[in-house]
Amino acid sequence: MRFAVFSNGHQQILHPEGLPNQGIASLSPYTSFAKLASYDQPTLDYKFQFSHSLRRILQDKLLLLSELPFSLEFIYKHYLHGYIGFKKSIKRQHDEYICERCGNDSSHLFASHYCARCHDSCTYCRKCIMMGKVSECEPLVYWCGPLAPFEWASYKQDALQWDGQLSPEQAYAAKSVTQAIAERKRLLIWAVCGSGKTELIFPGISYAFEQGLRVCIATPRVDVVLELEPRLKAAFPTVSIASLYGGSKQRKDACQLTISTTHQLLRYQEAFDVLIIDEVDAFPYSFDPMLAYAVERAKKTTAATIMLTATPNDELKREVKIGRLSVVKIPIRYHRHPLPVPRFVWCGNWEKRLKKRKLPEVVLRWCEQRFERNRQFLFFVPSIDVAERVKAILKVPAVYADDPERKTKVEQFRRGEIKALVTTTILERGVTIPSIDVAVLGSERDIFTESALVQIAGRVGRSAQDPYGDVCFFHFGRSKAMVQAKRHICEMNEES
């Protein structure tokens, strides 16, 4: 887009190309928004009748101008009266670029092309393009007017309608979460898979609602969002809840509880009083600084931050060790049965067998035993290509990150309509099935890290009615990660 600037008293005011400019003196030539040297934010006019719909969409957000469902004339009128602000989406500093939405400053993640909107060479960010294209000629927009009195301003007493019972370990952790929220502190909950991490945050969330606070539960995986949504709606039936992920429709209205993938937080700024990061060590959050940037900007400066994981990374462990981060550790599941310990089973050159459209005999026998017993199982593989080959051999569905039917297949598996599911590591977290076994083919592959294997093993034995199950790592040579994962699980069992 192209903008001009004109003088209004002591202020330099923006004017977008395409809107009437009659009567405006000293209007500068129209140019790309990125090339404007300076401009001012108009003084807030409290007599102006602003749009409540625009405020509802824009408050606590940082959106592209093109993301707003209003005309340019309507939006510009709010700018002239001081109710919205424009911000450069990509900044140039010493011939280097910085994306103001995702924080990207890597030169190889920017590209340029001729732009029909600004009639010039225009740079855009490739890092966050999956969230909508950020071009330097299009500004980011934010709300500058008075904040809305949200519907929960009267505060929610007795919002928690969950009648479950916490274990002693869960109860202690829940008390620590509530205290961290009250004192606006950071806290790590290091709890084994199946320890009931979701349930132990219920009392803290309920306390936050009583205080009129806005809560966000962020997670790197869509599957975790889909898993959490029905459980939280059942626990807090009177609270407004939004679930945000790629393709979701709940984008406009502010809710007291937001369940979101970390990518979606790129659209927020200083929005949340309490931010709970579930599976804080999971890919892509633990590998992508952009997502940590999004989380930090989305929460208020005084926000409490609660991090949940069964497998904290080395950085979190270091912060705990030097006393920078408080931690509560839960080494036992809520039903007090030990974690299933994985078995290592050598299966030979499984890749060679797959090329012949066959599975190793020991692997095929393991699968056939589950089919005969009518027992559900997850079959983890290292890649999409392997998933497709195994799917054809076993004649069962397969899922992976880009599978358009992934959500449907996982729901069918949850309901027991599918007995077996071949999957990449996308389902290492966020799937809770009462009675399943798990196998990993090619567990020696690099993609199966220690944390991934611990999480995969953690899918088994989560129900008090069926706390046992088989975890089998089929391999063509043990890896360091396999040994570390087994040691991790055994140490947690000993500690409990």
Side-chain angles (χ1 to χ4, degrees):
M1 296 183 65
R2 300 205 305 176
F3 286 75
V5 174
F6 67 92
S7 296
N8 183 16
H10 298 292
Q11 290 188 313
Q12 296 294 304
I13 304 300
L14 294 169
H15 188 275
E17 187 175 34
L19 294 185
N21 57 16
Q22 292 88 349
I24 299 178
S26 64
L27 189 70
S28 71
Y30 288 102
T31 186
S32 169
F33 189 79
K35 295 183 177 180
L36 294 174
S38 64
Y39 53 89
D40 296 311
Q41 174 65 27
T43 304
L44 188 65
D45 177 7
Y46 288 97
K47 296 180 181 180
F48 177 69
Q49 296 295 311
F50 66 87
S51 165
H52 293 268
S53 296
L54 177 59
R55 177 173 68 175
R56 187 172 64 248
I57 291 174
L58 204 50
Q59 183 169 317
D60 301 326
K61 301 276 186 64
L62 189 63
L63 302 179
L64 292 169
L65 184 58
S66 58
E67 290 182 297
L68 297 176
F70 302 97
S71 69
L72 179 59
E73 182 179 7
F74 182 83
I75 295 167
Y76 182 60
K77 186 181 295 184
H78 280 75
Y79 163 74
L80 288 177
H81 289 86
Y83 281 78
I84 68 167
F86 292 111
K87 178 180 182 178
K88 289 185 178 181
S89 56
I90 295 178
K91 284 187 176 180
R92 296 190 190 189
Q93 291 184 350
H94 310 296
D95 295 327
E96 294 183 350
Y97 294 103
I98 299 175
C99 176
E100 288 294 295
R101 183 170 70 176
C102 73
N104 170 40
D105 60 359
S106 299
S107 58
H108 70 284
L109 291 175
F110 289 98
S112 300
H113 61 80
Y114 177 79
C115 176
R117 292 189 301 177
C118 65
H119 312 299
D120 203 348
S121 177
C122 190
T123 298
Y124 66 95
C125 178
R126 295 169 54 225
K127 179 73 172 178
C128 59
I129 198 167
M130 81 292 291
M131 300 293 294
K133 188 176 181 180
V134 173
S135 298
E136 63 177 340
C137 73
E138 180 177 4
L140 291 165
V141 187
Y142 56 94
W143 182 254
C144 301
L147 301 180
F150 289 123
E151 65 179 60
W152 59 85
S154 58
Y155 302 172
K156 297 278 186 184
Q157 299 292 332
D158 302 319
L160 180 58
Q161 299 297 311
W162 180 70
D163 57 3
Q165 187 71 32
L166 296 177
S167 70
E169 292 81 8
Q170 285 177 304
Y172 176 78
K175 184 178 179 181
S176 299
V177 169
T178 302
Q179 184 177 351
I181 292 173
E183 298 176 358
R184 304 292 200 273
K185 291 185 176 179
R186 295 171 72 232
L187 175 68
L188 172 66
I189 301 295
W190 182 352
V192 297
C193 298
S195 60
K197 291 189 288 294
T198 302
E199 289 73 19
L200 70 82
I201 63 175
F202 285 172
I205 294 175
S206 181
Y207 169 80
F209 293 158
E210 290 173 7
Q211 304 303 309
L213 304 180
R214 191 176 178 193
V215 179
C216 176
I217 301 176
T219 176
R221 301 285 179 87
V222 174
D223 303 276
V224 180
V225 173
L226 298 175
E227 171 90 12
L228 290 175
E229 182 181 11
R231 295 166 68 181
L232 287 160
K233 285 185 174 180
F236 299 97
T238 64
V239 174
S240 57
I241 300 176
S243 296
L244 305 180
Y245 52 88
S248 67
K249 305 300 181 183
Q250 304 174 52
R251 296 277 178 89
K252 295 181 180 179
D253 294 332
C255 293
Q256 191 165 12
L257 175 59
T258 299
I259 313 164
S260 174
T261 58
T262 46
H263 281 87
Q264 295 298 323
L265 295 185
L266 286 168
R267 293 191 170 98
Y268 287 84
Q269 64 174 358
E270 297 189 25
F272 303 106
D273 304 287
V274 179
L275 209 149
I276 301 170
I277 310 172
D278 194 17
E279 308 293 359
V280 69
D281 66 300
F283 179 87
Y285 181 81
S286 58
F287 292 88
D288 193 344
M290 176 186 77
L291 300 180
Y293 176 90
V295 166
E296 286 301 312
R297 191 180 63 199
K299 65 183 183 181
K300 295 179 180 178
T301 54
T302 57
T305 305
I306 312 298
M307 292 166 281
L308 311 174
T309 184
T311 50
N313 58 28
D314 290 340
E315 176 60 25
L316 288 174
K317 290 178 182 178
R318 188 185 69 82
E319 285 198 69
V320 169
K321 187 175 181 179
I322 65 177
R324 187 182 297 171
L325 176 63
S326 298
V327 63
V328 174
K329 198 171 184 181
I330 305 179
I332 191 169
R333 288 180 159 176
Y334 74 96
H335 52 53
R336 313 200 73 75
H337 290 278
L339 299 166
V341 178
R343 297 186 295 122
F344 294 170
V345 177
W346 187 84
C347 64
N349 192 338
W350 55 270
E351 291 183 273
K352 186 176 181 180
R353 294 280 292 180
L354 275 183
K355 289 178 181 178
K356 298 179 180 180
R357 300 181 181 178
K358 294 181 180 179
L359 282 170
E361 286 300 323
V362 66
V363 176
L364 190 60
R365 189 161 58 249
W366 186 92
C367 296
E368 289 173 345
Q369 289 171 352
R370 269 89 204 144
F371 287 131
E372 290 168 3
R373 291 160 48 197
N374 200 31
R375 185 171 175 84
Q376 282 186 288
F377 67 91
L378 285 171
F379 195 96
F380 286 86
V381 296
S383 67
I384 296 174
D385 178 63
V386 174
E388 291 294 340
R389 291 170 183 265
V390 174
K391 163 189 168 182
I393 296 170
L394 294 180
K395 294 180 172 59
V396 299
V399 293
Y400 41 85
D402 296 329
D403 181 4
E405 298 180 357
R406 175 172 131 206
K407 182 180 177 182
T408 301
K409 292 174 185 176
V410 172
E411 284 302 321
Q412 289 176 331
F413 188 69
R414 281 197 179 99
R415 294 194 297 265
E417 298 169 10
I418 294 175
K419 293 303 177 184
L421 200 56
V422 180
T423 177
T424 59
T425 54
I426 196 66
L427 293 188
E428 72 183 40
R429 308 161 192 258
V431 177
T432 301
I433 310 296
S435 301
I436 63 169
D437 292 335
V438 160
V440 181
L441 179 64
S443 57
E444 75 279 0
R445 284 287 194 89
D446 290 343
I447 195 169
F448 293 117
T449 61
E450 176 191 347
S451 63
L453 292 172
V454 169
Q455 292 284 351
I456 287 169
R459 301 307 97 205
V460 175
R462 297 173 75 94
S463 168
Q465 287 69 44
D466 186 5
Y468 305 105
D470 190 30
V471 181
C472 195
F473 293 170
F474 292 108
H475 65 91
F476 188 36
R478 297 187 184 190
S479 68
K480 183 179 179 181
M482 289 168 59
V483 175
Q484 289 173 331
K486 186 171 184 178
R487 183 187 304 127
H488 181 123
I489 293 169
C490 290
E491 287 175 353
M492 282 296 191
N493 283 338
E494 291 173 7
E495 195 171 332
S496 65

